[in-house]
Amino acid sequence: MKAWVTGAAGMIGSEIASSASKWAPDWEVRGLTRRDFSLLDFDAVTAAFKGDSPDVIVHCAAISRPVDCERDPHLARKTNVVATRHLAHLASDRFLIYLSTDLVYDGRKGDYIEEDPANPLHLYGETKLAGEDAVRQHQNHAVLRTALNFGASPRGNASFNEQMHSALAQGKNFQLFTDEYRCPISTTETARAIWELAKLQVGGLFLLGGSEKVSRWDIGKALYDRWSPLPGKIEPASIASYDGPPRPPDLSMKLNKIQALLSFDLPGFHEWINSNPDAVV
Ligand SMILES: NC(=O)c1ccc[n+]([C@@H]2O[C@H](COP(=O)([O-])OP(=O)(O)OC[C@H]3O[C@@H](n4cnc5c(N)ncnc54)[C@H](OP(=O)(O)O)[C@@H]3O)[C@@H](O)[C@H]2O)c1
């Protein structure tokens, strides 16, 4: 089997590409970065696709930070929607896994299931949802609404745990919401689940995250307590006091649909960090 992983220089794509030797050792896997070609160069994408003829595409590449989407909406739409549509169409008789996001929900309900209606609060979520629509034209493709990922990014500055550590190391205090909930998952577990799905080739919409609902404060406190003392301090806060762009308060999710397909139990946040004491986080 041959696979492409787009966005292989990114936080999640790099983990998926590098863990192929562990989870899909017999596969020929090509991790694609901008150095190969831009996904906006549709002729180059088409030519490479015809040359490699991958059986599976794991599509991670995106403008993935909400702030970058707001700064350049045209680029966000072209990358997250138009390039995704092009790839999904090229691979219409192959299996494509599209990494979407829990940020397609508004966070008012919590305990989300696949059937819950999406209602993104900002452009990033909107473009990812439009990317989903392009992928879902093809029954055989899979869309993963992925929760907040933590872990090590290639440049050491992309994950929330790395950004929090860096701020605290510089002596900055870091506010964490006690009333904003997520189901965080390690990039290593995301990658393992994706390789299993790639082998099963089951299409449809799935939620993928960790099995524990935790507040931002719970997450940050657990990390802070395990790090060597840092000059900055963590401070509890409420999203009610936040005056920035809207934030979904509760993106917790039920994992029954994807869990039924997997050979392993998706771990919760505390379970994962306790069983991986030497991990970068
Ligand atoms: N991280 C999370 O917590 C999270 C949660 C839910 C869903 N997701 C989704 O999961 C996927 C991966 O997220 P991530 O955190 O790994 O993002 P990331 O670190 O920003 O990686 C995205 C990658 O896409 C590449 N890319 C962007 N435009 C491209 C283009 N035109 N041609 C080729 N490559 C291009 C970027 O390359 P450059 O570095 O060269 O710009 C980057 O390496 C995204 O689709 C994101 O929406 C992430």
Side-chain angles (χ1 to χ4, degrees), residues 1 27 55-56 94-95 140 142 196-203:
M1 293 289 280
W27 287 38
D55 304 287
V56 171
R94 316 294 161 93
F95 182 56
N140 51 324
E196 290 203 0
L197 193 62
K199 288 178 192 171
L200 294 168
Q201 302 211 357
V202 178

Side-chain angles (χ1 to χ4, degrees), residues 264-279:
F264 67 101
D265 289 339
L266 289 162
F269 176 72
H270 286 92
E271 181 190 352
W272 194 92
I273 63 165
N274 290 337
S275 53
N276 292 274
D278 300 324

Side-chain angles (χ1 to χ4, degrees), residues 199-214:
K199 288 178 192 171
L200 294 168
Q201 302 211 357
V202 178
L205 173 65
F206 299 92
L207 294 174
L208 174 63
S211 56
E212 186 187 14
K213 169 179 172 174
V214 272

